[in-house]
Amino acid sequence: MLNQLLLRLSVAFVLFASSFYAIAFESFVVQKIDVQGLQRISVGTVFNYLPIHPGDRIDSKATARALRALYKTGFFQDIVLEREGDTLLVSLAERASIASLKFEGNEAITKEQLMENMKLLGFSEGKIFNNSMLDKVVLDLKQQYMALGKYSVKVRPEILQLERNRVDILVKINEGDESSIQHLNIVGNKAYSDTVLKGLFELGERPLLTMFSSQDQYAREKLAGDLERLRSFYMDSGYINFSISSTQVSITPDKSGVYITINLSEGNQYRVDEVKVTGETILPKEEIMKLIPVESGEIFSRSSVTKGNENISEKLGELGYAFANINPIPEIDEEKRLVTLNYYVDPGKRIFVRRINVSGNENTKDKVIRRELRQMESGWISTTKVKRSRERLDRLGFFQEVAVSTPTISGSSDMVDLDIKLSENDTNGTFSAGIGYSDAQGITLSASVSQKNFLGTGESFSVNVNTSTANTVYSFSMTDPYSTLNGVSRTLSVNYRKSDATELDSADYTTDTYGAAVSFGVPISEYNTFRYGLNVERAKINTTATTSSAITDFCSSAASLSDCSFNTYKINASIDHDTRDKFLFPTKGGTTALSGVIAVPLNDSGLTYYKTQVTHKSYFPLAKKLTLSARGEIAYAGSYNNSYLPPYEYYRAGGVDSVRGYSSYTLGATADTFDTDGKSIGGDMRLLANAELIFPPPFTTANSDSMRFTLFLDAGNVYNKVNGFELSQLRYSIGAAMAWITPIGPLKFSFGVPVNKKSGDQVEAFQFTIGVN
């Protein structure tokens, strides 16, 4: 403050002295203006600001105005006006420019954030250096750190003079420690105890027996958020006259401690007397009333009132009234402590979409985008259809970002445009090769060529080679998501697979399988798809001297060919219900799939069996960065027509993708599903369930779209026949896991602890896969 005062006094003195000096000027007509002392600033710039031109008659007042105008630019630290005959000499000393601006010692605030704030202050590289502005920068930096609870912060700028009238500025920051909250005192609460109210706060005294808690680290923004939560709590509990009278934050002399006192006034608790709907409701009032989650007699809740407002707005938005005004007006009876709510509905005009504008799709064809849209041009706008259109584009996986806006049309009060701005992913195709590891399959070598959006058509294809000690897979597939105008998808695929069951901790045998398939997906509603297809397969089982009798008996009984080979003709069908908001790491919605496969006898060497499976997974957003997921699966397989279920079609469980903490593919319930070495060959029934708390990486403010951590509870097992099912045989595990999407493929890590391990169970606490789908 002292520096700023001295600077202002010095500037005022200079202007006064200059004005006094200007009085000495005798009035004369300027024939020429000569500007001297410029280094970076052009003469033209000076003339733009100088209010004197050749031919003007000047006197002391004119020169004083000129001095003020030039000083006001901030470009110059010294200005002298002199007369030489009929020439006005303008001698200028430019201020230095900022060559570089650097920060040292900042941790709580990133360099990018600091630079952005400096730009907003007008203090950045290339700008004119000004000591008063530097003082303002130091003050602003201190305020930013104090807002984070760092009241002992010290900011010291260093200025290095360079040639050509430039300066380097280094701002050294000693952040100090966060001031810790010594005591949080709430005054005026009667209905709720201090313990209940403090439980709403993110801030507070450090809990006992907690070493790493940041609860006691004061920050102004956190306190503001806590006060709003406190206000919402009371308003949702019927205290409509609740108010926070004052908030005092006191700092100890050494700036290490903070004392917070919150004074509040609760008022009385109110209940809802009656709910009314008035205005132009468009829909029947009875239907509008169903959208309001407030009933007569219950305790008044502001959030419930707001939810009713949102529900009505959303419903009218579906009918084209995008700018409806819903105003819930409370009528308060202070004596009876009752509130009558009157929802006044003003739908406004029905809004139509004039045009849909798509931009940013440099590779993707326009029709690929428009066929995903549910909002049509020239029709009335539906906020639900606009939202669903955005979700469908986002789920394609072609775009990094999908931004949707509805700007109004100039001169029209009932029309808008729908603007869709896209930022594309790299859809020119990818080639990848890598090495990975799976606890189930060992070392994996892989290579693939894939294209999700071939030539911008939305079609996809992939060629994959994947080899490990347990499996060798070669496959090719091609999918056209819109093989018909009605959105029927078609997938063609061929594959070869060689599996070694011994390496999977299963029975000692290997299989060679190759086949081809065609499948179709028929959308039957916005969220439901019916899929069906045909798969032709040739499989051969290779036994050894140590192969279990269960496998050899199958070969001798079921195989009509001497080399234990089989032809299988499978018809598959499924119904999928998908309401997820995103394909990758969804936060709400869910998936339900009912699928079945039947192998039909088309020749003597064909197997006849069937497999059915029901899977459901739901996502529930618990907080902004916390999601709960719940998954369940029941699968069953059997044979018919005096045939057998081949062992390579048995279900297995255990490992990263089923019941973590148990070794991969080792779970089984009865002796019939194990060979003489105790290795599981699987079973014909599987039951799985799990629950997960999903959250992004902790200890960071960055929003990672490629990584999630989970805390899980898994349950499941494999059974032989339905009559072999026993709930007591389910295995349970708890633990933590991480999923990370990387350029080499998905990485999964888990640490699971079996809860009810039984004799013979094979456990494996740490499990992971790298670069293995």
Side-chain angles (χ1 to χ4, degrees):
M1 294 298 293
L2 180 60
N3 290 338
Q4 292 180 348
L5 180 60
L6 291 174
L7 180 62
R8 289 169 181 167
L9 289 174
S10 63
V11 171
F13 175 78
V14 168
L15 291 176
F16 174 78
S18 301
S19 300
F20 179 79
Y21 171 75
I23 296 175
F25 269 104
E26 293 183 3
S27 176
F28 75 101
V29 177
V30 177
Q31 299 297 327
K32 181 181 178 182
I33 300 175
D34 187 9
V35 180
Q36 301 174 349
L38 296 179
Q39 295 181 346
R40 300 180 316 278
I41 300 172
S42 67
V43 174
T45 300
V46 176
F47 285 150
N48 284 338
Y49 290 102
L50 185 66
I52 298 175
H53 304 89
D56 291 348
R57 177 176 291 277
I58 65 170
D59 53 17
S60 58
K61 292 182 179 180
T63 55
R65 286 197 303 270
L67 286 170
R68 286 193 294 269
L70 292 177
Y71 271 118
K72 189 176 180 181
T73 64
F75 297 158
F76 311 108
Q77 62 182 4
D78 191 23
I79 305 170
V80 177
L81 300 182
E82 297 178 300
R83 176 181 178 181
E84 189 177 275
D86 293 333
T87 299
L88 178 64
L89 299 179
V90 182
S91 300
L92 304 170
E94 294 182 5
R95 292 187 184 276
S97 67
I98 302 174
S100 70
L101 175 61
K102 297 180 180 178
F103 296 90
E104 182 181 286
N106 58 297
E107 294 182 0
I109 305 177
T110 65
K111 174 186 174 183
E112 291 74 18
Q113 290 174 318
L114 291 175
M115 285 296 190
E116 187 64 29
N117 290 334
M118 294 304 100
K119 287 182 180 179
L120 295 175
L121 291 172
F123 194 84
S124 58
E125 295 178 0
K127 296 288 187 179
I128 300 298
F129 173 70
N130 189 315
N131 273 304
S132 63
M133 182 58 71
L134 181 59
D135 292 338
K136 186 177 180 180
V137 165
V138 171
L139 181 61
D140 183 79
L141 287 173
K142 288 182 178 179
Q143 290 176 343
Q144 289 185 53
Y145 277 99
M146 288 179 183
L148 298 176
K150 294 179 178 290
Y151 284 91
S152 58
V153 62
K154 296 180 180 179
V155 180
R156 182 168 59 88
E158 293 184 356
I159 303 170
L160 177 63
Q161 294 289 340
L162 304 176
E163 59 182 4
R164 300 196 305 277
N165 200 24
R166 299 175 302 139
V167 294
D168 278 348
I169 300 176
L170 174 62
V171 182
K172 292 187 175 181
I173 301 173
N174 183 354
E175 296 183 341
D177 297 326
E178 292 93 346
S179 300
S180 62
I181 298 173
Q182 304 299 315
H183 184 63
L184 172 62
N185 186 29
I186 301 176
V187 180
N189 54 307
K190 299 176 182 178
Y192 300 99
S193 66
D194 286 359
T195 302
V196 172
L197 298 183
K198 288 182 179 180
L200 303 171
F201 282 48
E202 186 178 350
L203 294 177
E205 302 97 337
R206 174 172 292 183
L208 296 175
L209 306 177
T210 303
M211 296 179 59
F212 303 104
S213 172
S214 61
Q215 184 176 349
D216 65 329
Q217 295 176 0
Y218 173 76
R220 189 183 306 160
E221 287 80 4
K222 288 184 179 180
L223 178 58
D226 287 341
L227 294 178
E228 184 56 37
R229 275 190 290 274
L230 179 64
R231 186 176 290 106
S232 296
F233 173 76
Y234 270 97
M235 295 298 288
D236 288 343
S237 302
Y239 294 89
I240 62 176
N241 293 321
F242 170 82
S243 65
I244 297 175
S245 306
S246 63
T247 303
Q248 291 97 34
V249 179
S250 304
I251 312 296
T252 57
D254 62 357
K255 298 182 179 180
S256 64
V258 176
Y259 290 82
I260 303 174
T261 301
I262 301 170
N263 295 286
L264 55 85
S265 174
E266 292 180 331
N268 295 318
Q269 189 180 54
Y270 287 75
R271 291 182 176 272
V272 178
D273 182 30
E274 187 180 2
V275 180
K276 301 177 183 179
V277 176
T278 59
E280 188 181 351
T281 59
I282 304 299
L283 296 170
K285 290 186 178 181
E286 295 76 13
E287 189 171 343
I288 296 292
M289 288 292 292
K290 293 178 181 179
L291 301 174
I292 303 173
V294 180
E295 295 183 4
S296 177
E298 67 181 26
I299 293 175
F300 176 86
S301 170
R302 183 177 65 175
S303 62
S304 296
V305 174
T306 302
K307 182 63 177 176
N309 193 342
E310 294 172 352
N311 290 345
I312 298 172
S313 296
E314 184 177 349
K315 189 64 176 179
L316 293 179
E318 293 178 7
L319 302 175
Y321 299 93
F323 305 125
N325 181 26
I326 315 300
N327 188 16
I329 303 172
E331 298 175 5
I332 302 173
D333 187 333
E334 300 283 357
E335 184 179 348
K336 296 181 179 180
R337 298 180 186 178
L338 296 174
V339 178
T340 298
L341 283 173
N342 185 4
Y343 281 85
Y344 180 76
V345 180
D346 178 13
K349 292 186 176 181
R350 201 173 212 180
I351 307 301
F352 291 81
V353 176
R354 182 186 68 168
R355 187 179 298 117
I356 298 177
N357 304 309
V358 179
S359 61
N361 53 319
E362 297 179 2
N363 298 313
T364 306
K365 297 183 183 300
D366 196 67
K367 71 173 184 178
V368 174
I369 298 165
R370 292 184 180 272
R371 69 192 183 191
E372 299 296 331
L373 303 182
R374 292 301 175 257
Q375 176 64 57
M376 298 290 105
E377 290 181 342
S378 301
W380 70 65
I381 192 170
S382 168
T383 52
T384 302
K385 290 181 179 179
V386 171
K387 180 181 178 181
R388 181 58 181 164
S389 298
R390 185 192 180 283
E391 289 178 350
R392 289 180 65 89
L393 290 174
D394 203 26
R395 288 179 52 185
L396 287 176
F398 302 161
F399 310 109
Q400 292 180 350
E401 184 179 356
V402 180
V404 177
S405 60
T406 54
T408 57
I409 306 301
S410 177
S412 175
S413 59
D414 62 352
M415 296 192 74
V416 296
D417 279 347
L418 180 61
D419 290 348
I420 301 173
K421 295 183 179 180
L422 307 169
S423 176
E424 288 190 314
N425 290 322
D426 181 10
T427 56
N428 294 323
T430 61
F431 170 78
S432 64
I435 182 171
Y437 180 82
S438 164
D439 58 81
Q441 301 185 33
I443 296 176
T444 303
L445 300 175
S446 63
S448 67
V449 178
S450 63
Q451 170 61 274
K452 292 192 301 181
N453 188 14
F454 182 63
L455 298 179
T457 62
E459 298 180 9
S460 63
F461 76 88
S462 66
V463 179
N464 292 284
V465 177
N466 196 310
T467 64
S468 69
T469 55
N471 288 299
T472 299
V473 180
Y474 304 96
S475 66
F476 169 81
S477 66
M478 177 178 291
T479 299
D480 181 357
Y482 275 80
S483 62
T484 71
L485 293 177
N486 295 326
V488 176
S489 65
R490 180 188 64 231
T491 299
L492 304 173
S493 64
V494 293
N495 65 83
Y496 168 78
R497 183 184 190 98
K498 182 180 180 66
S499 299
D500 188 342
T502 305
E503 298 294 338
L504 296 175
D505 282 329
S506 187
D508 294 335
Y509 70 94
T510 63
T511 59
D512 294 293
T513 307
Y514 54 90
V518 58
S519 62
F520 300 90
V522 182
I524 54 180
S525 71
E526 184 62 31
Y527 299 100
N528 300 307
T529 303
F530 173 66
R531 305 181 190 278
Y532 65 96
L534 174 65
N535 188 351
V536 180
E537 197 172 78
R538 173 80 170 185
K540 179 183 178 182
I541 296 179
N542 304 301
T543 60
T544 67
T546 58
T547 300
S548 74
S549 59
I551 306 300
T552 57
D553 290 347
F554 170 79
C555 286
S556 61
S557 302
S560 60
L561 301 179
S562 59
D563 59 353
C564 202
S565 297
F566 307 90
N567 294 323
T568 308
Y569 308 93
K570 294 187 287 187
I571 299 173
N572 56 76
S574 68
I575 295 179
D576 300 333
H577 179 71
D578 190 345
T579 59
R580 292 173 297 175
D581 59 336
K582 294 186 292 185
F583 177 76
L584 183 64
F585 300 134
T587 59
K588 61 182 179 179
T591 59
T592 302
L594 172 61
S595 61
V597 176
I598 183 169
V600 296
L602 295 184
N603 58 34
D604 293 339
S605 63
L607 294 174
T608 54
Y609 61 90
Y610 58 89
K611 301 181 74 173
T612 60
Q613 182 171 311
V614 178
T615 304
H616 176 78
K617 190 167 188 177
S618 291
Y619 298 88
F620 307 95
L622 302 181
K624 184 177 181 181
K625 295 184 178 181
L626 185 64
T627 303
L628 171 67
S629 75
R631 177 180 180 271
E633 176 193 304
I634 300 176
Y636 181 76
S639 61
Y640 68 97
N641 199 26
N642 296 320
S643 185
Y644 300 88
L645 181 68
Y648 52 81
E649 292 286 3
Y650 284 167
Y651 296 110
R652 296 175 175 83
V656 167
D657 295 319
S658 55
V659 186
R660 288 161 282 195
Y662 293 89
S663 297
S664 299
Y665 310 128
T666 61
L667 288 181
T670 67
D672 293 337
T673 60
F674 290 86
D675 68 6
T676 55
D677 294 328
K679 294 182 178 180
S680 171
I681 63 172
D684 51 20
M685 179 180 174
R686 181 171 65 186
L687 179 63
L688 297 174
N690 89 326
E692 294 182 324
L693 279 175
I694 308 170
F695 50 92
F699 313 116
T700 177
T701 58
N703 182 22
S704 173
D705 291 329
S706 61
M707 182 183 294
R708 288 293 183 273
F709 288 86
T710 63
L711 301 176
F712 65 81
L713 166 64
D714 289 346
N717 210 337
V718 172
Y719 302 88
N720 191 24
K721 305 298 182 185
V722 173
N723 54 16
F725 170 74
E726 294 181 21
L727 195 62
S728 61
Q729 292 299 317
L730 283 175
R731 300 298 192 269
Y732 300 91
S733 67
I734 59 173
M738 184 193 80
W740 186 13
I741 307 301
T742 71
I744 65 172
L747 278 66
K748 296 181 181 179
F749 302 87
S750 71
F751 184 84
V753 179
V755 174
N756 60 336
K757 175 181 176 295
K758 297 188 178 182
S759 177
D761 287 347
Q762 301 179 41
V763 298
E764 192 172 50
F766 181 68
Q767 297 171 315
F768 64 96
T769 62
I770 301 177
V772 182
N773 288 311

